Amino acid sequence: MSYTTTDLIAVRQAKLDLTNGKRVKRVTIMGQVIEYADCTMADMVKLENQITKALRPKRIRQVSLHYDRGV
């Protein structure tokens, strides 16, 4: 699976929401409780670093070969 910049933006927004206490962990709808997986800030930072590393352009090694024809 390849990451996109949209994924990175979503993780950064989730980090802000987690910091500000806006992330919902549990919702009750018509008596049914839906719980979301707990996520710590360390997990979010690790995921952000992983996505950033995947999005970083790959370094290309350039090799130049020069030779004389020996005229």
Side-chain angles (χ1 to χ4, degrees):
M1 179 178 127
S2 61
Y3 294 109
T4 64
T5 54
T6 306
D7 298 329
L8 184 60
I9 292 168
V11 169
R12 288 180 175 164
Q13 183 60 48
K15 280 177 53 181
L16 286 173
D17 292 346
L18 184 64
T19 303
N20 295 332
K22 294 180 182 177
R23 282 192 61 100
V24 178
K25 294 183 180 180
R26 178 185 292 182
V27 177
T28 304
I29 300 174
M30 296 173 54
Q32 184 178 14
V33 178
I34 301 170
E35 289 191 34
Y36 297 97
D38 289 331
C39 187
T40 64
M41 184 59 76
D43 294 335
M44 295 294 240
V45 170
K46 189 186 328 182
L47 180 59
E48 181 182 18
N49 291 339
Q50 182 178 356
I51 293 173
T52 303
K53 183 178 177 182
L55 291 177
R56 193 173 300 140
K58 304 294 184 237
R59 184 175 172 186
I60 299 173
R61 175 182 258 177
Q62 183 175 0
V63 178
S64 298
L65 299 175
H66 299 280
Y67 61 93
D68 291 333
R69 296 187 100 185
V71 177

